[in-house]
Amino acid sequence: MKVISSLIEVPQSIPAYIYGSGMAAMYLHRLAKTVPGLEIAGFIDSSRAGCSHDLPIHMAKDILPILDKETPIILASQQRQSILEHLHAAKLKNVFYPTFALENRRYSSEMEYLFLSPNLDLMIRQSLAKRGVNGTVVLVGDEDILVAVKAAQDRRGGGPLVFMPADLVGMQTFRNPDPTACVVYCHIPATGENWQAYCTALAHSVAIPLLELLLPFTQLLQNMHRLEYYVRDFDEMLEILFGTIRRPEIEALDKIQPLVGKRVVEFGPADGYHTAAAIHLGAKSIDCVEARSENIIKQTVMKNVMGWDHVNLHMLDFHLADAQRFGRFDVAMAHGVLYHSLAPFLFLNNLVEMADSIFIGTFCCTDELPEGKYEILEHGGRTYRVKRTLEADRMVNGMNSWSYFLHKDDLQDFFRDRGFIVTVTSDEERNQVSGNYTRLVAVRQE
């Protein structure tokens, strides 16, 4: 085993594996992306298999015997003795122990991970915005932290953050030249003496500690590490939450029915990226209806991290949400929900009663898919073509064991028969699950 102080010391002639799948492993994977030529092929774990950050997690007993004996193995666990025994038994000797990540780090692996984020500046600004701070911000402290934040801000062509390097003594004597600016002290204490001096500096100022601003985002990081998400990349999710990545399907809705100032009810918010899109388009409030526990956990964390006080969460099967229970809204959003219903007309009628503008995105059946003949359902004096599908038991599925796909033309006719103008915003052929995915906006005629 070789002790290393940088991942640059890991050979780049053959893809490496990280032994471990916790936050230290995620931090090392992220850090590896900054080393030209270093490729990470996957993670190795003694007790679990799966996937993380779009890379496989292999069980040690399965992967170690078949690896090339020259494969670099980067340890991401302090349980090195037992791991080294497994590696020795597999005759893998190209092993690296990164002390900087496991023993000598300044703070938690999650925080070190955040310092590598290209959205570091936006995390700081978002946390300050929750406190009502939207003007000039002066960052005072460790130069390496300021360099990381400035690099993130420079990617966006600059911003309101001002940088002033200073050691702990400098922080204790710092006087803000602009009394209207907010001051953030950027220091990560590594010793007891550091902590005492840092807290003394904070006690004699009105500065905000950087840790206080960034730690909330570790909730999202841990969530994405432990739960299944559509969007698997942490920074992509951040950019969706911050509004720098927009959702075209919600922007298409906004062109037909502007969301600014509107009360919205959203069914099946899942990861929350449509929630974020509606917020950035100016929705006044959003009531989210979700039955899956993991999705409620995701929404709760995002609401907390982002300060979404105007987002209300309701843990409820979507069939139970109606106007009698919730009242009326300006807009109802149900993207990826209808095809999880085994009582589609109950749900559709509830939508009609709850809102005058309705956005739906749904898989629809075709002659070819799913295989088999149409079933015919009767409702409101007319017939509808449907096909059944089995439901899995994941965060992307409904709560019943099966559900219906409607034909896209019959779905549109349902709304037209009830006095709605229907605009199809996308009509896509699909070769998986069903033969079509349709998005539409139905607006009640006055």
Side-chain angles (χ1 to χ4, degrees):
M1 182 186 74
K2 180 181 179 181
V3 176
I4 58 174
S5 58
S6 170
L7 290 184
I8 295 175
E9 300 175 57
V10 178
Q12 300 166 15
S13 57
I14 183 171
Y17 283 82
I18 297 175
Y19 202 121
S21 62
M23 279 311 309
M26 299 306 107
Y27 166 57
L28 287 168
H29 172 241
R30 175 123 192 190
L31 195 61
K33 293 181 178 181
T34 68
V35 179
L38 180 56
E39 179 184 350
I40 302 299
F43 304 97
I44 301 172
D45 196 279
S46 300
S47 59
R48 74 181 184 106
C51 181
S52 182
H53 289 65
D54 285 333
L55 286 177
I57 302 174
H58 301 279
M59 286 282 287
K61 64 182 181 63
D62 299 326
I63 190 71
L64 294 185
I66 63 175
L67 285 180
D68 186 299
K69 303 311 176 188
E70 298 300 316
T71 300
I73 307 294
I74 305 169
L75 300 190
S77 171
Q78 292 178 332
Q79 307 300 317
R80 58 180 175 178
Q81 190 56 47
S82 61
I83 292 174
L84 286 173
E85 291 174 2
H86 293 150
L87 296 175
H88 179 73
K91 298 181 179 180
L92 292 162
K93 299 181 180 179
N94 211 5
V95 182
F96 301 88
Y97 186 76
T99 55
F100 64 92
L102 300 176
E103 296 179 9
N104 300 328
R105 66 175 189 265
R106 292 175 299 182
Y107 210 64
S108 67
S109 296
E110 300 132 308
M111 186 61 70
E112 298 287 4
Y113 191 103
L114 296 186
F115 283 137
L116 294 172
S117 171
N119 293 297
L120 184 56
D121 61 321
L122 293 184
M123 286 186 270
I124 294 170
R125 288 164 58 183
Q126 172 63 31
S127 288
L128 289 171
K130 286 167 58 177
R131 298 164 175 254
V133 177
N134 295 296
T136 302
V137 179
V138 180
L139 273 63
V140 182
D142 298 351
E143 187 167 4
D144 60 334
I145 295 177
L146 301 190
V147 167
V149 180
K150 187 176 187 304
Q153 179 171 265
D154 288 347
R155 286 179 61 248
R156 270 169 273 280
L161 304 180
V162 178
F163 306 94
M164 299 185 66
D167 57 16
L168 280 170
V169 174
M171 278 185 263
Q172 290 176 334
T173 59
F174 176 77
R175 295 294 178 266
N176 187 6
D178 181 358
T180 66
C182 174
V183 178
V184 176
Y185 277 178
C186 302
H187 178 69
I188 307 295
T191 68
E193 292 79 5
N194 281 173
W195 270 111
Q196 185 62 54
Y198 188 45
C199 290
T200 298
L202 288 166
H204 291 84
S205 75
V206 292
I208 301 170
L210 179 65
L211 284 174
E212 191 173 319
L213 300 179
L214 291 182
L215 277 172
F217 289 93
T218 64
Q219 300 171 80
L220 177 61
L221 186 58
Q222 280 284 4
N223 246 25
M224 295 191 70
H225 178 50
R226 298 177 183 278
L227 299 178
E228 181 183 3
Y229 274 72
Y230 281 114
V231 178
R232 295 181 179 179
D233 182 78
F234 176 70
D235 278 301
E236 183 180 353
M237 178 58 75
L238 281 182
E239 293 190 13
I240 289 171
L241 297 181
F242 294 146
T244 52
I245 292 180
R246 298 299 182 95
R247 300 298 304 186
E249 57 271 25
I250 304 302
E251 294 200 326
L253 161 65
D254 187 64
K255 289 179 180 178
I256 299 168
Q257 172 55 73
L259 295 175
V260 63
K262 298 297 192 295
R263 295 179 63 249
V264 177
V265 59
E266 180 186 13
F267 294 91
D271 287 4
Y273 48 75
H274 287 146
T275 314
I279 287 171
H280 288 293
L281 287 168
K284 179 181 179 180
S285 65
I286 304 179
D287 281 68
C288 298
V289 179
E290 175 63 68
R292 286 284 178 186
S293 58
E294 58 267 57
N295 293 336
I296 281 288
I297 292 170
K298 296 176 196 175
Q299 287 277 317
T300 301
V301 165
M302 285 186 283
K303 176 179 164 69
N304 181 31
V305 169
M306 298 300 293
W308 288 346
D309 295 334
H310 53 330
V311 173
N312 306 303
L313 306 182
H314 308 275
M315 193 168 185
L316 191 70
D317 189 289
F318 63 89
H319 294 96
L320 294 171
D322 56 22
Q324 182 176 355
R325 183 187 294 261
F326 282 88
R328 286 184 52 78
F329 296 83
D330 300 308
V331 180
M333 299 188 344
H335 191 275
V337 178
L338 177 60
Y339 58 88
H340 294 306
S341 176
L342 52 67
F345 302 111
L346 169 66
F347 179 51
L348 290 170
N349 281 323
N350 285 344
L351 292 178
V352 168
E353 292 176 1
M354 293 178 78
D356 292 333
S357 296
I358 300 166
F359 168 63
I360 287 179
T362 186
F363 283 110
C364 294
C365 56
T366 63
D367 293 349
E368 294 78 20
L369 289 174
E371 293 183 0
K373 296 181 179 181
Y374 290 112
E375 293 183 47
I376 302 299
L377 297 183
E378 294 187 6
H379 179 76
R382 63 156 293 165
T383 59
Y384 295 85
R385 291 164 290 178
V386 301
K387 290 186 179 182
R388 294 191 187 208
T389 182
L390 291 176
E391 289 278 342
D393 196 14
R394 295 170 52 223
M395 69 92 176
V396 295
N397 295 105
M399 304 301 284
N400 292 113
S401 59
W402 61 273
S403 56
Y404 285 116
F405 294 129
L406 274 72
H407 192 283
K408 64 178 183 179
D409 294 338
D410 295 354
L411 174 61
Q412 294 172 43
D413 287 342
F414 174 89
F415 287 106
R416 292 190 180 105
D417 290 347
R418 286 156 181 79
F420 285 77
I421 298 174
V422 176
T423 303
V424 176
T425 58
S426 69
D427 185 347
E428 305 167 6
E429 289 187 11
R430 296 289 180 95
N431 293 320
Q432 60 178 26
V433 184
S434 74
N436 175 268
Y437 199 96
T438 289
R439 296 182 180 90
L440 63 83
V441 179
V443 179
R444 196 189 310 269
Q445 290 178 293
E446 296 181 359

